[in-house]
Amino acid sequence: MRRHDLGRTGIEVPALAMGAASLGSIYHPVSQDEADATVATALECDLNYFDVAPYYGLTTAETALGKALKGFARQSYTLATKIGRYGDQDWDFSADATKRSIEASLGRLGTDHIDVIQCHDIEYGDLAQLRNEALPTLRKLKEEGVVRFIGVTGYRLDVVEKIAVEEQVDTVMAYCTYTLQDRRLAPVAERLAAAGIGVLNASPLGMGLLTTRGAPSWHPGNERVFELVAAAARLCTLAGTDISELAMRFALTTGHEHGIATTVVGTANAHNVRENARWADSEPDATLLKQVEAILAPVMDAGWDVLPGNGGKAGG
Ligand SMILES: NC(=O)c1ccc[n+]([C@@H]2O[C@H](COP(=O)([O-])OP(=O)(O)OC[C@H]3O[C@@H](n4cnc5c(N)ncnc54)[C@H](OP(=O)(O)O)[C@@H]3O)[C@@H](O)[C@H]2O)c1
């Protein structure tokens, strides 16, 4: 597995990282045995960066990840979690909530420190509170060694970039914006990387959109996007492949040239972990990619902020 510098943190991240939201059963029910097998397989494949949040499965993803990591040496993996989002419509960037959240995450994850702590989906929270309470609290915890690096995450790239640069955070996680269907993160990632900020591209499968199973019922995307992606998925099946394979190969082999340090995919399936790792280093089929891009052209870069969908969980 290729590894890249995560900005100026000194952490070398695998080109493919593991998103543990899935372990909170947000896409399909997941048992602890499945979570254990997924995490063990990820570590076997050198995918030793795990991203999670209290919000995922309302703390169940952190609990499952903590149990699955038990027994593996703490220094053998990098752990990233979040503060600030606690429900579909529940943000709190106060100092008290930040401290309480980190204490609870440490307990669920069975560790005494968090490598990367991120303020979650900042554009929907109170940005003044984020600047005046959450970030200063995290900086203090950084001095105390409880957290090693501080980041922000979100969907609105303009908000995320502005706060990241002004507050000089260490990392930025964006999601669903560097995929087969949406490339808007590319120029933003180039600027952030040039500023020394580590960029994580989450959801290369567009939160399940770019799979043969299709987007989950809570997905905030637009019907027109779903229709055209389904047509592209059928074309991939006819070509003897799977749209997920094309999507993963695309994100993984082209992301780094735009400053993306790692791509964070979510799965709760050990077989899919192996497939994703296998696809990490090989180019997508150029002819098929062109055909799929032609199908998706009418909705290229059309996220749910451009073509509103049903609101979904990830919306404001
Ligand atoms: N605001 C934020 O900070 C934010 C937002 C979104 C995501 N994230 C992070 O990014 C991570 C990844 O995002 P995500 O999980 O929401 O979306 P994603 O990675 O785009 O898609 C996950 C879906 O793809 C399926 N999948 C994965 N590998 C597959 C394969 N090889 N073949 C077929 N299907 C496959 C998974 O199902 P199976 O379980 O069946 O494999 C799951 O349904 C999250 O876990 C989270 O850590 C952060």
Side-chain angles (χ1 to χ4, degrees), residues 29-193:
V30 177
S31 68
Q32 188 61 43
D33 283 350
E34 286 169 312
D36 293 349
T38 303
V39 168
T41 307
L43 287 168
E44 229 177 82
C45 296
D46 286 335
L47 312 185
N48 63 346
Y49 186 105
F50 295 92
D51 180 77
V52 70
Y55 168 55
Y56 301 149
L58 303 178
T59 74
T60 59
E62 278 194 340
T63 301
L65 179 64
K67 286 184 182 165
L69 284 169
K70 219 171 169 191
F72 293 99
R74 179 65 182 84
Q75 64 274 21
S76 67
Y77 57 86
T78 305
L79 200 49
T81 189
K82 310 191 181 79
I83 56 101
R85 185 172 191 182
Y86 305 108
D88 290 350
Q89 304 294 331
D90 182 7
W91 279 263
D92 187 345
F93 288 120
S94 66
D96 275 357
T98 301
K99 280 184 257 179
R100 276 199 313 272
S101 180
I102 290 187
E103 201 54 44
S105 289
L106 290 171
R108 287 189 289 268
L109 291 165
T111 183
D112 62 358
H113 70 281
I114 290 160
D115 298 297
V116 182
I117 187 75
Q118 304 154 104
C119 304
H120 199 169
D121 290 346
I122 57 171
E123 69 267 36
Y124 302 114
D126 177 341
L127 293 179
Q129 194 185 45
L130 172 82
R131 289 182 193 267
N132 298 331
E133 298 196 40
L135 287 169
T137 304
L138 296 180
R139 290 183 190 117
K140 194 155 177 292
L141 290 170
K142 188 173 175 176
E143 279 168 23
E144 293 167 9
V146 178
V147 304
R148 293 177 59 213
F149 298 102
I150 299 169
V152 292
T153 84
Y155 184 68
R156 281 273 310 273
L157 295 170
D158 54 344
V159 178
V160 168
E161 181 177 12
K162 180 173 159 57
I163 297 277
V165 171
E166 288 178 1
E167 296 290 337
Q168 298 185 13
V169 300
D170 302 303
T171 67
V172 159
M173 173 176 276
Y175 65 103
C176 296
T177 43
Y178 191 73
T179 72
L180 272 184
Q181 183 261 320
D182 192 334
R183 319 269 166 93
R184 292 176 293 170
L185 176 59
V188 179
E190 286 167 20
R191 290 193 294 270
L192 290 170

Side-chain angles (χ1 to χ4, degrees), residues 14-38:
L16 179 61
M18 276 298 301
S22 293
L23 304 187
S25 298
I26 65 167
Y27 290 99
H28 50 82
V30 177
S31 68
Q32 188 61 43
D33 283 350
E34 286 169 312
D36 293 349
T38 303

Side-chain angles (χ1 to χ4, degrees), residues 18-22 26-28 30 51-53 56 82 85 118 120-121 153-155 173-176 201-214 216 218 242 244-245 248 264-269 271-273 275-276 279:
M18 276 298 301
S22 293
I26 65 167
Y27 290 99
H28 50 82
V30 177
D51 180 77
V52 70
Y56 301 149
K82 310 191 181 79
R85 185 172 191 182
Q118 304 154 104
H120 199 169
D121 290 346
T153 84
Y155 184 68
M173 173 176 276
Y175 65 103
C176 296
N201 171 38
S203 309
L205 297 176
M207 299 197 302
L209 173 69
L210 297 159
T211 63
T212 45
R213 188 168 54 213
W218 51 259
D242 181 317
S244 299
E245 176 171 352
M248 291 300 294
V264 188
V265 69
T267 177
N269 178 314
H271 170 76
N272 286 350
V273 173
E275 290 292 83
N276 292 337
W279 298 333

